[in-house]
Each structure stands twice: as structure tokens, then as C-alpha cells.
Amino acid sequence: MAKGPGLYSDIGKKARDLLFRDYNSDQKFTITTYSPTGVAITSSGTRKGELFVADVNTQLKNKNITTDIKVDTSSNLFTNITINEPAPGLKAIFNFKVPDQRSGKVEVQYVHEYAGISTSVGLTANPVVNFAGVVGTNAIALGADLSFDTKIGELTKLNAGLNFTKDDLVASLTVNDKGDALNASYYHVVNPLTNTAVGAEVTHRISTNENTLTLGTQHALDPLTTVKARVNNFGKANALIQHQWRPKSFFTISGEVDTKAIEKSAKVGLSLALKP
């Protein structure tokens, strides 16, 4: 178990990954190649109905500096520069998008044994300032996540969260959207040898009095093949099977069916990720 409470984004992450990660209703492929100089080039494409979206990402690593440059089919250029460990526990991230001149942002992350801080500021005359902080240990963490828009002088985001970890169990509680949404999640490893786990998430929205409950599980059929399934209280059921057919290369088939409208066609997604 890692030391420290981590970052605010780690609160409830185990349950979110179990319930939502790798599920896909589109056709997606990702291929990564490496040049002789060590530059990684990743090409990806996603077909959503009749729409096809693609991008090419180039990653260059030089000591503790990682530079990512991505170009998509809309001719947008995304640049992300990450500096790892300029000081112990510190990470600096700079990113921007061309031609959007207001997209520039600088983020600094600091992870300590008893705290985790992430703060960012937009590179504009009236920037949006984000701050997320967590205090605690690897067993219990309490944090807050907020954004302040200096142009209008108001808080645009205000969230708070609590995370509890004990052996093979992780439970979390968050208050989001300025107190309008309450979210509780649960993750439990049933059998570590087969990577069998169960998870649940319930969200209550005060403004609409609506509740959303999602239950899920995962199990490794063998060291290279994992199956997952989930269902929510609206009758949407999903399942996937993921196979690692070579190191770092995955083939995933996922499907979704509306149990309250069986006559509708099921949605099927395919995902292929290839790395040498």
C-alpha cells in the first residue's frame, strides 16, 4: 500500500475504475510505435456511429521531462509538458491548445506522506484558479476541490470528499456541485489471486431528488483475461471481456443492453490497444 493520502482525484478512484473504466460502445484502436531515438508515436481512432475521430500523439522523454504533442482531425494542437520530481514529491505540468489562446494552464502537484496538493492557474488576464488538497494517511483522507473564476469573482466548483482504506476495502463519500450531489462508493477485493472484486456507487442529486445506483464486479479468468459486468437502477447492463494478447497490448469487447427495452439492439464496442 502506497504511503500518504494521494491526491484528491484518488478519492473513490478504485470504485470508479471498476465500474466505468474500459467500457466502450464505439470502435476504437490505438497503436504505439517507438523510433530509434526513443520517441513514442501513438495513433488512435474512434468511430462513433457515422463519425470518425482520429489523433496522433508524439511523446518525448528527456531525463525527468516528458513532452506530449497531439494533433487531432480538427487541426487542434495539444501540448503537455510534465516535469517529474524537480524536488522530492513535486510535479509541474504545463499544457495549452492551439489555436485556443486562452487554453494555457500551469499545474503543480505535491505529494507528501500526510498531504497531497494540486493547484493550477490559467494563463490569461482573468484566469480560473483550481485548488485541490487532501490531508490524512494511507488509511483515511479528507480533502476539498474548488475552482475560482477571477473574471466573475465567484467559486465555480466546490467539492469535498472523504476516503477510507483498510486492507482490501476502500470506501468514499463526496459532496459535489456545491452540495447538490452526494456520492458514496465502495470497493472490495474478494479474492486477490483471481483479481475478483465488487463495487458499488450511489449518487443522490438534491435538486431533482434523483438517485443513481450502480453495481459492478470483475474477475480474472486467467492471468491475461479479465471479465467485468455492471448494472444500474435504470436497467442498463454492461459487460466486457479484456484480453492481453501480448505485453501492454489489449483487445476489449464490451456490450450494453437496456433490460427495460429488450427489443432495442444491444450496443457493442471494440477496443484494440497495441504496443510493441
Side-chain angles (χ1 to χ4, degrees), residues 179-250:
D180 184 56
L182 306 178
N183 179 285
S185 65
Y186 167 84
Y187 172 87
H188 178 58
V189 178
V190 179
N191 187 340
L193 297 179
T194 58
N195 196 28
T196 303
V198 295
E201 180 186 73
V202 59
T203 300
H204 174 71
R205 189 162 290 278
I206 297 175
S207 59
T208 60
N209 198 32
E210 183 179 80
N211 296 308
T212 302
L213 173 63
T214 306
L215 303 174
T217 185
Q218 70 177 26
H219 174 73
L221 299 177
D222 58 53
L224 301 177
T225 308
T226 299
V227 293
K228 294 173 64 176
R230 75 179 186 205
V231 64
N232 64 24
N233 60 313
F234 297 109
K236 297 292 181 65
N238 300 72
L240 70 79
I241 180 168
Q242 184 177 78
H243 179 68
Q244 184 178 211
W245 53 286
R246 58 182 293 177
K248 298 182 181 180
S249 298
F250 297 90

Side-chain angles (χ1 to χ4, degrees):
M1 185 181 297
K3 288 186 177 181
L7 298 173
Y8 186 86
S9 57
D10 295 323
I11 294 179
K13 186 177 185 301
K14 286 283 189 179
R16 289 196 304 271
D17 285 350
L18 172 63
L19 296 172
F20 304 109
R21 186 178 177 181
D22 295 323
Y23 287 100
N24 178 43
S25 59
D26 305 311
Q27 285 71 53
K28 182 178 181 180
F29 74 87
T30 303
I31 300 176
T32 301
T33 58
Y34 294 90
S35 71
T37 58
V39 177
I41 301 175
T42 301
S43 302
S44 65
T46 303
R47 181 175 181 179
K48 302 179 179 180
E50 298 300 322
L51 179 65
F52 183 80
V53 180
D55 60 66
V56 177
N57 184 83
T58 301
Q59 184 181 85
L60 174 64
K61 293 184 178 181
N62 182 18
K63 297 181 180 179
N64 66 330
I65 301 176
T66 301
T67 303
D68 289 276
I69 300 175
K70 183 174 72 173
V71 180
D72 64 14
T73 49
S74 299
S75 299
N76 292 311
L77 176 67
F78 302 84
T79 301
N80 186 292
I81 302 173
T82 303
I83 305 175
N84 288 293
E85 296 282 336
L90 194 66
K91 177 187 290 188
I93 304 169
F94 171 65
N95 57 65
F96 62 91
K97 181 176 74 172
V98 177
D100 186 359
Q101 298 179 354
R102 294 177 51 86
S103 63
K105 185 175 70 172
V106 174
E107 179 180 357
V108 176
Q109 297 178 358
Y110 176 68
V111 178
H112 183 265
E113 187 175 357
Y114 299 108
I117 296 173
S118 175
T119 183
S120 67
V121 59
L123 300 180
T124 62
N126 303 108
V128 175
V129 180
N130 298 276
F131 174 84
V134 178
V135 295
T137 65
N138 58 340
I140 187 168
L142 176 65
D145 179 23
L146 56 89
S147 293
F148 182 78
D149 191 331
T150 60
K151 184 175 182 179
I152 60 177
E154 292 182 3
L155 282 173
T156 55
K157 179 174 68 173
L158 179 58
N159 304 328
L162 174 67
N163 206 65
F164 174 77
T165 304
K166 180 175 175 59
D167 299 328
D168 53 6
L169 182 150
V170 181
S172 67
L173 176 66
T174 58
V175 182
N176 304 312
D177 299 335
K178 299 181 180 180
D180 184 56
L182 306 178
N183 179 285
S185 65
Y186 167 84
Y187 172 87
H188 178 58
V189 178
V190 179
N191 187 340
L193 297 179
T194 58
N195 196 28
T196 303
V198 295
E201 180 186 73
V202 59
T203 300
H204 174 71
R205 189 162 290 278
I206 297 175
S207 59
T208 60
N209 198 32
E210 183 179 80
N211 296 308
T212 302
L213 173 63
T214 306
L215 303 174
T217 185
Q218 70 177 26
H219 174 73
L221 299 177
D222 58 53
L224 301 177
T225 308
T226 299
V227 293
K228 294 173 64 176
R230 75 179 186 205
V231 64
N232 64 24
N233 60 313
F234 297 109
K236 297 292 181 65
N238 300 72
L240 70 79
I241 180 168
Q242 184 177 78
H243 179 68
Q244 184 178 211
W245 53 286
R246 58 182 293 177
K248 298 182 181 180
S249 298
F250 297 90
F251 178 67
T252 308
I253 301 177
S254 59
E256 178 184 281
V257 62
D258 188 346
T259 61
K260 295 183 178 180
I262 299 297
E263 69 278 4
K264 294 183 179 180
S265 299
K267 297 180 180 180
V268 178
L270 301 175
S271 177
L272 174 64
L274 173 63
K275 289 187 178 183

